Amino acid sequence: MTTKEFIDIMDSGEIIPGGSPIHAKMHELSQEAIRITMAINNAYHTHDEIVALMSELTGTDIHKSFALFPPFYTDCGKNIRIGKRVFINSGCKFQDQGGITIGDDVLVGHNCVIATLNHVMDPDRRADMIPAPVKICDKVWIGANVTILQGVTIGEGAVIAAGAVVNKDVPPRTVVGGLPAKVIKTIDGGDACFARTVERSAGE
């Protein structure tokens, strides 16, 4: 099975049986991801080297405006898509088999977890997995220690407050927080007082 065939299956949302050839391909890609992320995390790299390593990890051409503070972890890598001027802070963990798309001008705070897989509820089939994508639209700010669960879309310009667990779609230009995350307020404009409020609630 090729990587493209694997990604096409994962993007279809079909259930992945444990022990199947698809599951075996998932394991193969995870080993490659471990190799590359260990290279990222265990030595100093210049900006250009980080961009090159992330390009290898994702199988895409990461834009030179991308920035990452290691460590960074993922157990696949090949179903991550990253836009321009994206910054990912240290300690983030992406489970991307189901697909993670990050738009332009996105800020991702420390220790963010993005999950795109679920296991089926039937205990006799617990090894089976259900993929669903996470989409983060342009100009989103994700605070520290946020968890984003499978199938979620975060609308353009939204802010996710520190520590939030996001289990449903986030409307554009809103601030959400809590467990589970709920809308706190709407972003009306870029005034300084609002910016200071967001800094305190979102953190990075």
Side-chain angles (χ1 to χ4, degrees), residues 130-173:
I130 308 169
V134 168
K135 181 179 180 181
I136 301 169
C137 296
D138 295 349
K139 301 179 182 178
V140 167
W141 175 15
I142 300 170
N145 296 303
V146 165
T147 298
I148 302 170
L149 300 181
Q150 66 158 195
V152 165
T153 294
I154 300 177
E156 182 176 358
V159 176
I160 313 300
V165 175
V166 185
N167 64 353
K168 61 182 180 181
D169 290 354
V170 175
R173 298 182 67 84

Side-chain angles (χ1 to χ4, degrees), residues 9 15 27 169 193 198:
I9 292 169
I15 293 176
H27 179 73
D169 290 354
C193 290
V198 170

